[in-house]
Amino acid sequence: MELGMIGLGRMGGDMTRRLLKGGHRVVAFDPLKTAREAAAASGAAVTVSVKELATALKPPRIVWLMVPAGKPTEDTIDKLLPLLADGDIVIDGGNSNYRDSIGRAEKLAKKGIFLMDVGTSGGIWGLNEGYCLMVGGDVDTYYHLKPIFQTLAPSPDTGYGYVGTNGAGHFVKMVHNGIEYGLMQSYAEGFQLLKAREEFNLDLGRVAEIWRHGSVVRSWILDLTAAALKQDPDLERIQPYVEDSGEGRWTVEEAVKLGVPVPVISLALQMRFRSRQPQSFSDKLLAAMRKGFGGHAVKETK
């Protein structure tokens, strides 16, 4: 099949290469010249604008977006809208908020254009391992696009699927990322506890390697944990500062709206916030309170 790819960053570029290897024709665009050059080197037909990309594709056109969520995605769709026509398809493979996807689908539908929201997971390993694809939108359009999903997925039969109407793909990906937060936090706390029992002098990389095989806590995240601990056992080259992509926040916000308890995911998100505080004002205040009511000693800064 032929499709356009807008956004040739790390994941978009790797997806383009995987599609090309799968026999699809890809017309690509990215604002960065270096990204365009890399796509051209892989065999993509490269364009220098969104307009040129839309013109280069044969109707009915398929355009896959891999751009940051929020305004960048909105702006790209607004540029595409006057260039597309009835029957064309826009695929948003980024981490958009599912509510935004519902609104964008309604806007595009007024012109007869289909929006498919595709939650995409796989990160830097997707080129070789394949991507997990959670697809929302029109079901007939999903089956029309199935050869593309099969090429990007881990295999033609696994790791992808239709999950519901517009917004469902990004909703499922949002919850997926919330679960990811909880898993990562649990592993991190467990290994911190192992490290704290100093008299055992535990080889944490060895423990992780043992758990990877046969254990009920084995997972791909544990595989990555084992690799990180093998490379740098004390993680001396890493600062304890953890970012969040935004989807964990959306997951917690949605849980509040629906009245669904998600204490593990919520606390995992809060711990990421905590990691960014080199000097915690709340902890300082706690120490001051204890000194105030109980005369407890405090450690003063030098």
Side-chain angles (χ1 to χ4, degrees):
M1 298 180 75
E2 178 189 74
L3 73 155
M5 176 69 74
I6 298 179
L8 302 170
R10 185 181 65 192
M11 185 175 280
D14 284 351
M15 293 176 77
T16 296
R17 286 188 281 275
R18 191 170 176 90
L19 288 165
L20 290 165
K21 289 180 180 179
H24 300 278
R25 178 176 184 268
V26 180
V27 179
F29 167 72
D30 191 279
L32 292 177
K33 183 180 179 181
T34 53
R36 296 196 301 269
E37 290 173 345
S42 297
V46 174
T47 61
V48 296
S49 69
V50 171
K51 183 177 181 179
E52 185 178 326
L53 178 139
T55 303
L57 294 169
K58 298 176 182 178
R61 290 161 287 198
I62 304 168
V63 182
W64 190 303
L65 309 183
M66 286 302 293
V67 297
K71 192 175 186 299
T73 297
E74 194 71 31
D75 290 346
T76 304
I77 289 177
D78 286 344
K79 289 179 182 178
L80 276 171
L81 190 55
L83 305 172
L84 301 181
D86 182 76
D88 289 342
I89 302 167
V90 175
I91 305 170
D92 181 3
N95 285 332
S96 291
N97 187 296
Y98 82 95
R99 295 180 186 274
D100 291 340
S101 299
I102 293 173
R104 290 166 185 155
E106 293 172 350
K107 179 169 67 175
L108 291 173
K110 293 177 181 177
K111 197 173 177 179
I113 303 167
F114 297 94
L115 176 74
M116 304 298 288
D117 51 284
V118 180
T120 307
S121 181
I124 60 176
W125 300 91
L127 177 61
N128 296 321
E129 302 293 333
Y131 298 90
C132 175
L133 305 169
M134 299 145 264
V135 186
D138 176 71
V139 66
D140 292 331
T141 303
Y142 163 76
Y143 283 108
H144 173 65
L145 298 171
K146 194 172 181 179
I148 294 174
F149 301 142
Q150 289 177 317
T151 300
L152 290 171
S155 83
D157 302 313
T158 62
Y160 71 97
Y162 179 77
V163 296
T165 55
N166 279 119
H170 282 149
F171 181 78
V172 172
K173 176 57 163 52
M174 178 191 76
V175 177
H176 161 283
N177 279 30
I179 293 170
E180 177 186 292
Y181 280 39
L183 286 171
M184 293 171 68
Q185 185 65 34
S186 183
Y187 279 127
E189 292 177 8
F191 279 98
Q192 180 169 266
L193 182 58
L194 290 173
K195 187 176 179 62
R197 184 51 72 181
E198 295 179 354
E199 65 266 34
F200 288 150
N201 193 28
L202 294 170
D203 182 338
L204 301 186
R206 177 61 178 156
V207 172
E209 189 62 33
I210 293 170
W211 286 355
R212 286 183 60 222
H213 306 281
S215 166
V216 295
V217 299
R218 65 188 183 274
S219 71
W220 186 48
I221 292 178
L222 182 60
D223 295 343
L224 299 176
T225 301
L229 290 170
K230 182 178 180 181
Q231 183 178 12
D232 185 5
D234 292 319
L235 304 179
E236 294 178 345
R237 295 187 294 273
I238 298 177
Q239 292 293 323
Y241 185 103
V242 188
E243 282 286 6
D244 71 284
S245 63
E247 291 196 272
R249 302 185 191 210
W250 298 343
T251 304
V252 174
E253 289 169 1
E254 193 67 25
V256 172
K257 290 175 183 176
L258 296 175
V260 175
V262 289
V264 172
I265 296 173
S266 298
L267 187 54
L269 175 64
Q270 295 295 327
M271 290 301 291
R272 293 196 179 196
F273 296 158
R274 178 60 181 270
S275 76
R276 301 168 207 167
Q277 294 184 314
Q279 291 287 331
S280 172
F281 182 80
S282 63
D283 286 350
K284 290 182 179 182
L285 192 55
L286 284 171
M289 291 177 194
R290 290 185 77 244
K291 181 180 180 181
F293 67 69
H296 301 288
V298 296
K299 292 186 177 181
E300 296 183 350
T301 57
K302 296 181 180 179

PDB file of all heavy atoms in Angstrom, residues 113-141:
ATOM      1  N   ILE A 113     -13.625  12.693   5.513  1.00  0.00           N
ATOM      2  CA  ILE A 113     -12.302  12.136   5.795  1.00  0.00           C
ATOM      3  C   ILE A 113     -12.358  11.316   7.069  1.00  0.00           C
ATOM      4  O   ILE A 113     -12.957  11.738   8.060  1.00  0.00           O
ATOM      5  CB  ILE A 113     -11.255  13.271   5.939  1.00  0.00           C
ATOM      6  CG1 ILE A 113     -11.214  14.126   4.677  1.00  0.00           C
ATOM      7  CG2 ILE A 113      -9.878  12.697   6.247  1.00  0.00           C
ATOM      8  CD1 ILE A 113     -10.465  15.425   4.847  1.00  0.00           C
ATOM      9  N   PHE A 114     -11.755  10.149   7.046  1.00  0.00           N
ATOM     10  CA  PHE A 114     -11.749   9.264   8.212  1.00  0.00           C
ATOM     11  C   PHE A 114     -10.519   9.532   9.078  1.00  0.00           C
ATOM     12  O   PHE A 114      -9.410   9.670   8.568  1.00  0.00           O
ATOM     13  CB  PHE A 114     -11.730   7.793   7.779  1.00  0.00           C
ATOM     14  CG  PHE A 114     -12.936   7.365   7.012  1.00  0.00           C
ATOM     15  CD1 PHE A 114     -12.936   7.385   5.620  1.00  0.00           C
ATOM     16  CD2 PHE A 114     -14.082   6.951   7.672  1.00  0.00           C
ATOM     17  CE1 PHE A 114     -14.051   6.993   4.898  1.00  0.00           C
ATOM     18  CE2 PHE A 114     -15.206   6.554   6.970  1.00  0.00           C
ATOM     19  CZ  PHE A 114     -15.197   6.577   5.577  1.00  0.00           C
ATOM     20  N   LEU A 115     -10.726   9.602  10.383  1.00  0.00           N
ATOM     21  CA  LEU A 115      -9.603   9.648  11.323  1.00  0.00           C
ATOM     22  C   LEU A 115      -9.544   8.323  12.067  1.00  0.00           C
ATOM     23  O   LEU A 115     -10.549   7.855  12.605  1.00  0.00           O
ATOM     24  CB  LEU A 115      -9.764  10.780  12.343  1.00  0.00           C
ATOM     25  CG  LEU A 115      -8.663  10.816  13.417  1.00  0.00           C
ATOM     26  CD1 LEU A 115      -7.354  11.339  12.826  1.00  0.00           C
ATOM     27  CD2 LEU A 115      -9.063  11.674  14.612  1.00  0.00           C
ATOM     28  N   MET A 116      -8.361   7.729  12.097  1.00  0.00           N
ATOM     29  CA  MET A 116      -8.123   6.525  12.886  1.00  0.00           C
ATOM     30  C   MET A 116      -7.117   6.875  13.975  1.00  0.00           C
ATOM     31  O   MET A 116      -6.020   7.371  13.684  1.00  0.00           O
ATOM     32  CB  MET A 116      -7.575   5.400  12.011  1.00  0.00           C
ATOM     33  CG  MET A 116      -8.437   5.049  10.812  1.00  0.00           C
ATOM     34  SD  MET A 116     -10.092   4.446  11.259  1.00  0.00           S
ATOM     35  CE  MET A 116      -9.677   2.816  11.897  1.00  0.00           C
ATOM     36  N   ASP A 117      -7.505   6.690  15.241  1.00  0.00           N
ATOM     37  CA  ASP A 117      -6.568   6.935  16.340  1.00  0.00           C
ATOM     38  C   ASP A 117      -5.925   5.608  16.718  1.00  0.00           C
ATOM     39  O   ASP A 117      -6.598   4.665  17.103  1.00  0.00           O
ATOM     40  CB  ASP A 117      -7.251   7.603  17.537  1.00  0.00           C
ATOM     41  CG  ASP A 117      -8.512   6.899  17.991  1.00  0.00           C
ATOM     42  OD1 ASP A 117      -9.544   7.046  17.319  1.00  0.00           O
ATOM     43  OD2 ASP A 117      -8.467   6.211  19.028  1.00  0.00           O
ATOM     44  N   VAL A 118      -4.604   5.565  16.566  1.00  0.00           N
ATOM     45  CA  VAL A 118      -3.868   4.314  16.757  1.00  0.00           C
ATOM     46  C   VAL A 118      -2.867   4.484  17.895  1.00  0.00           C
ATOM     47  O   VAL A 118      -1.800   5.099  17.719  1.00  0.00           O
ATOM     48  CB  VAL A 118      -3.142   3.893  15.461  1.00  0.00           C
ATOM     49  CG1 VAL A 118      -2.382   2.576  15.686  1.00  0.00           C
ATOM     50  CG2 VAL A 118      -4.142   3.735  14.322  1.00  0.00           C
ATOM     51  N   GLY A 119      -3.214   3.977  19.065  1.00  0.00           N
ATOM     52  CA  GLY A 119      -2.265   3.957  20.168  1.00  0.00           C
ATOM     53  C   GLY A 119      -1.100   3.063  19.792  1.00  0.00           C
ATOM     54  O   GLY A 119      -1.301   1.919  19.387  1.00  0.00           O
ATOM     55  N   THR A 120       0.109   3.588  19.895  1.00  0.00           N
ATOM     56  CA  THR A 120       1.288   2.877  19.405  1.00  0.00           C
ATOM     57  C   THR A 120       2.307   2.703  20.522  1.00  0.00           C
ATOM     58  O   THR A 120       2.711   3.674  21.152  1.00  0.00           O
ATOM     59  CB  THR A 120       1.936   3.653  18.241  1.00  0.00           C
ATOM     60  OG1 THR A 120       0.943   3.914  17.242  1.00  0.00           O
ATOM     61  CG2 THR A 120       3.077   2.865  17.629  1.00  0.00           C
ATOM     62  N   SER A 121       2.711   1.468  20.765  1.00  0.00           N
ATOM     63  CA  SER A 121       3.703   1.171  21.789  1.00  0.00           C
ATOM     64  C   SER A 121       4.812   0.327  21.181  1.00  0.00           C
ATOM     65  O   SER A 121       4.554  -0.542  20.357  1.00  0.00           O
ATOM     66  CB  SER A 121       3.061   0.423  22.955  1.00  0.00           C
ATOM     67  OG  SER A 121       4.008   0.139  23.968  1.00  0.00           O
ATOM     68  N   GLY A 122       6.030   0.589  21.603  1.00  0.00           N
ATOM     69  CA  GLY A 122       7.154  -0.179  21.085  1.00  0.00           C
ATOM     70  C   GLY A 122       8.473   0.543  21.237  1.00  0.00           C
ATOM     71  O   GLY A 122       9.528  -0.072  21.315  1.00  0.00           O
ATOM     72  N   GLY A 123       8.387   1.885  21.268  1.00  0.00           N
ATOM     73  CA  GLY A 123       9.579   2.683  21.513  1.00  0.00           C
ATOM     74  C   GLY A 123      10.714   2.389  20.558  1.00  0.00           C
ATOM     75  O   GLY A 123      10.509   2.110  19.375  1.00  0.00           O
ATOM     76  N   ILE A 124      11.934   2.441  21.080  1.00  0.00           N
ATOM     77  CA  ILE A 124      13.119   2.303  20.235  1.00  0.00           C
ATOM     78  C   ILE A 124      13.315   0.873  19.729  1.00  0.00           C
ATOM     79  O   ILE A 124      14.155   0.640  18.850  1.00  0.00           O
ATOM     80  CB  ILE A 124      14.388   2.767  20.973  1.00  0.00           C
ATOM     81  CG1 ILE A 124      14.608   1.926  22.232  1.00  0.00           C
ATOM     82  CG2 ILE A 124      14.292   4.241  21.334  1.00  0.00           C
ATOM     83  CD1 ILE A 124      15.902   2.255  22.966  1.00  0.00           C
ATOM     84  N   TRP A 125      12.554  -0.070  20.253  1.00  0.00           N
ATOM     85  CA  TRP A 125      12.696  -1.466  19.830  1.00  0.00           C
ATOM     86  C   TRP A 125      11.724  -1.842  18.723  1.00  0.00           C
ATOM     87  O   TRP A 125      11.764  -2.959  18.201  1.00  0.00           O
ATOM     88  CB  TRP A 125      12.481  -2.396  21.032  1.00  0.00           C
ATOM     89  CG  TRP A 125      13.463  -2.156  22.132  1.00  0.00           C
ATOM     90  CD1 TRP A 125      13.311  -1.303  23.205  1.00  0.00           C
ATOM     91  CD2 TRP A 125      14.761  -2.729  22.275  1.00  0.00           C
ATOM     92  NE1 TRP A 125      14.421  -1.317  24.001  1.00  0.00           N
ATOM     93  CE2 TRP A 125      15.334  -2.176  23.459  1.00  0.00           C
ATOM     94  CE3 TRP A 125      15.496  -3.634  21.531  1.00  0.00           C
ATOM     95  CZ2 TRP A 125      16.604  -2.534  23.888  1.00  0.00           C
ATOM     96  CZ3 TRP A 125      16.762  -3.982  21.973  1.00  0.00           C
ATOM     97  CH2 TRP A 125      17.305  -3.444  23.131  1.00  0.00           C
ATOM     98  N   GLY A 126      10.842  -0.927  18.366  1.00  0.00           N
ATOM     99  CA  GLY A 126       9.785  -1.257  17.418  1.00  0.00           C
ATOM    100  C   GLY A 126      10.275  -1.648  16.036  1.00  0.00           C
ATOM    101  O   GLY A 126       9.651  -2.485  15.375  1.00  0.00           O
ATOM    102  N   LEU A 127      11.366  -1.038  15.572  1.00  0.00           N
ATOM    103  CA  LEU A 127      11.855  -1.348  14.234  1.00  0.00           C
ATOM    104  C   LEU A 127      12.141  -2.829  14.076  1.00  0.00           C
ATOM    105  O   LEU A 127      11.806  -3.447  13.066  1.00  0.00           O
ATOM    106  CB  LEU A 127      13.115  -0.524  13.937  1.00  0.00           C
ATOM    107  CG  LEU A 127      13.795  -0.795  12.586  1.00  0.00           C
ATOM    108  CD1 LEU A 127      12.853  -0.487  11.437  1.00  0.00           C
ATOM    109  CD2 LEU A 127      15.079   0.031  12.466  1.00  0.00           C
ATOM    110  N   ASN A 128      12.765  -3.421  15.092  1.00  0.00           N
ATOM    111  CA  ASN A 128      13.128  -4.845  15.029  1.00  0.00           C
ATOM    112  C   ASN A 128      12.065  -5.763  15.602  1.00  0.00           C
ATOM    113  O   ASN A 128      11.832  -6.862  15.079  1.00  0.00           O
ATOM    114  CB  ASN A 128      14.449  -5.069  15.766  1.00  0.00           C
ATOM    115  CG  ASN A 128      15.605  -4.350  15.108  1.00  0.00           C
ATOM    116  OD1 ASN A 128      15.700  -4.290  13.887  1.00  0.00           O
ATOM    117  ND2 ASN A 128      16.483  -3.784  15.911  1.00  0.00           N
ATOM    118  N   GLU A 129      11.408  -5.334  16.688  1.00  0.00           N
ATOM    119  CA  GLU A 129      10.467  -6.206  17.384  1.00  0.00           C
ATOM    120  C   GLU A 129       9.028  -6.032  16.910  1.00  0.00           C
ATOM    121  O   GLU A 129       8.188  -6.907  17.123  1.00  0.00           O
ATOM    122  CB  GLU A 129      10.525  -5.925  18.898  1.00  0.00           C
ATOM    123  CG  GLU A 129      11.905  -6.097  19.524  1.00  0.00           C
ATOM    124  CD  GLU A 129      12.371  -7.533  19.513  1.00  0.00           C
ATOM    125  OE1 GLU A 129      11.498  -8.436  19.522  1.00  0.00           O
ATOM    126  OE2 GLU A 129      13.595  -7.760  19.501  1.00  0.00           O
ATOM    127  N   GLY A 130       8.723  -4.881  16.305  1.00  0.00           N
ATOM    128  CA  GLY A 130       7.346  -4.590  15.913  1.00  0.00           C
ATOM    129  C   GLY A 130       6.653  -3.731  16.955  1.00  0.00           C
ATOM    130  O   GLY A 130       7.101  -3.624  18.098  1.00  0.00           O
ATOM    131  N   TYR A 131       5.555  -3.112  16.559  1.00  0.00           N
ATOM    132  CA  TYR A 131       4.811  -2.203  17.424  1.00  0.00           C
ATOM    133  C   TYR A 131       3.471  -2.810  17.830  1.00  0.00           C
ATOM    134  O   TYR A 131       2.817  -3.489  17.031  1.00  0.00           O
ATOM    135  CB  TYR A 131       4.542  -0.881  16.697  1.00  0.00           C
ATOM    136  CG  TYR A 131       5.796  -0.147  16.311  1.00  0.00           C
ATOM    137  CD1 TYR A 131       6.398  -0.368  15.076  1.00  0.00           C
ATOM    138  CD2 TYR A 131       6.391   0.759  17.177  1.00  0.00           C
ATOM    139  CE1 TYR A 131       7.561   0.295  14.713  1.00  0.00           C
ATOM    140  CE2 TYR A 131       7.554   1.434  16.828  1.00  0.00           C
ATOM    141  CZ  TYR A 131       8.132   1.192  15.597  1.00  0.00           C
ATOM    142  OH  TYR A 131       9.283   1.855  15.254  1.00  0.00           O
ATOM    143  N   CYS A 132       3.081  -2.540  19.069  1.00  0.00           N
ATOM    144  CA  CYS A 132       1.740  -2.889  19.537  1.00  0.00           C
ATOM    145  C   CYS A 132       0.816  -1.752  19.106  1.00  0.00           C
ATOM    146  O   CYS A 132       1.060  -0.589  19.426  1.00  0.00           O
ATOM    147  CB  CYS A 132       1.737  -3.054  21.048  1.00  0.00           C
ATOM    148  SG  CYS A 132       0.109  -3.356  21.759  1.00  0.00           S
ATOM    149  N   LEU A 133      -0.261  -2.073  18.385  1.00  0.00           N
ATOM    150  CA  LEU A 133      -1.144  -1.064  17.800  1.00  0.00           C
ATOM    151  C   LEU A 133      -2.572  -1.258  18.282  1.00  0.00           C
ATOM    152  O   LEU A 133      -3.174  -2.317  18.079  1.00  0.00           O
ATOM    153  CB  LEU A 133      -1.101  -1.153  16.275  1.00  0.00           C
ATOM    154  CG  LEU A 133       0.292  -1.051  15.647  1.00  0.00           C
ATOM    155  CD1 LEU A 133       0.242  -1.419  14.168  1.00  0.00           C
ATOM    156  CD2 LEU A 133       0.865   0.347  15.817  1.00  0.00           C
ATOM    157  N   MET A 134      -3.107  -0.230  18.928  1.00  0.00           N
ATOM    158  CA  MET A 134      -4.473  -0.246  19.460  1.00  0.00           C
ATOM    159  C   MET A 134      -5.301   0.716  18.624  1.00  0.00           C
ATOM    160  O   MET A 134      -5.130   1.928  18.715  1.00  0.00           O
ATOM    161  CB  MET A 134      -4.452   0.181  20.931  1.00  0.00           C
ATOM    162  CG  MET A 134      -3.615  -0.753  21.805  1.00  0.00           C
ATOM    163  SD  MET A 134      -2.710   0.086  23.168  1.00  0.00           S
ATOM    164  CE  MET A 134      -1.088   0.316  22.386  1.00  0.00           C
ATOM    165  N   VAL A 135      -6.198   0.198  17.786  1.00  0.00           N
ATOM    166  CA  VAL A 135      -6.812   0.990  16.729  1.00  0.00           C
ATOM    167  C   VAL A 135      -8.250   1.367  17.058  1.00  0.00           C
ATOM    168  O   VAL A 135      -9.083   0.507  17.357  1.00  0.00           O
ATOM    169  CB  VAL A 135      -6.787   0.222  15.390  1.00  0.00           C
ATOM    170  CG1 VAL A 135      -7.285   1.113  14.262  1.00  0.00           C
ATOM    171  CG2 VAL A 135      -5.378  -0.299  15.092  1.00  0.00           C
ATOM    172  N   GLY A 136      -8.542   2.674  16.963  1.00  0.00           N
ATOM    173  CA  GLY A 136      -9.906   3.162  17.127  1.00  0.00           C
ATOM    174  C   GLY A 136     -10.367   3.873  15.869  1.00  0.00           C
ATOM    175  O   GLY A 136      -9.555   4.455  15.143  1.00  0.00           O
ATOM    176  N   GLY A 137     -11.670   3.845  15.597  1.00  0.00           N
ATOM    177  CA  GLY A 137     -12.202   4.512  14.411  1.00  0.00           C
ATOM    178  C   GLY A 137     -13.220   3.662  13.692  1.00  0.00           C
ATOM    179  O   GLY A 137     -13.820   2.743  14.270  1.00  0.00           O
ATOM    180  N   ASP A 138     -13.413   3.944  12.427  1.00  0.00           N
ATOM    181  CA  ASP A 138     -14.366   3.207  11.602  1.00  0.00           C
ATOM    182  C   ASP A 138     -13.861   1.785  11.350  1.00  0.00           C
ATOM    183  O   ASP A 138     -12.722   1.598  10.908  1.00  0.00           O
ATOM    184  CB  ASP A 138     -14.560   3.947  10.274  1.00  0.00           C
ATOM    185  CG  ASP A 138     -15.468   3.208   9.317  1.00  0.00           C
ATOM    186  OD1 ASP A 138     -16.682   3.151   9.573  1.00  0.00           O
ATOM    187  OD2 ASP A 138     -14.940   2.666   8.319  1.00  0.00           O
ATOM    188  N   VAL A 139     -14.702   0.810  11.619  1.00  0.00           N
ATOM    189  CA  VAL A 139     -14.255  -0.582  11.545  1.00  0.00           C
ATOM    190  C   VAL A 139     -13.924  -1.010  10.120  1.00  0.00           C
ATOM    191  O   VAL A 139     -12.967  -1.766   9.881  1.00  0.00           O
ATOM    192  CB  VAL A 139     -15.294  -1.536  12.183  1.00  0.00           C
ATOM    193  CG1 VAL A 139     -16.593  -1.557  11.383  1.00  0.00           C
ATOM    194  CG2 VAL A 139     -14.710  -2.928  12.360  1.00  0.00           C
ATOM    195  N   ASP A 140     -14.686  -0.538   9.120  1.00  0.00           N
ATOM    196  CA  ASP A 140     -14.386  -0.904   7.737  1.00  0.00           C
ATOM    197  C   ASP A 140     -13.046  -0.310   7.298  1.00  0.00           C
ATOM    198  O   ASP A 140     -12.289  -0.952   6.556  1.00  0.00           O
ATOM    199  CB  ASP A 140     -15.503  -0.427   6.808  1.00  0.00           C
ATOM    200  CG  ASP A 140     -16.812  -1.185   7.026  1.00  0.00           C
ATOM    201  OD1 ASP A 140     -16.738  -2.365   7.435  1.00  0.00           O
ATOM    202  OD2 ASP A 140     -17.878  -0.603   6.786  1.00  0.00           O
ATOM    203  N   THR A 141     -12.773   0.906   7.759  1.00  0.00           N
ATOM    204  CA  THR A 141     -11.488   1.528   7.449  1.00  0.00           C
ATOM    205  C   THR A 141     -10.347   0.757   8.095  1.00  0.00           C
ATOM    206  O   THR A 141      -9.262   0.612   7.518  1.00  0.00           O
ATOM    207  CB  THR A 141     -11.474   2.993   7.926  1.00  0.00           C
ATOM    208  OG1 THR A 141     -12.571   3.687   7.317  1.00  0.00           O
ATOM    209  CG2 THR A 141     -10.183   3.684   7.552  1.00  0.00           C
TER     210      THR A 141
END
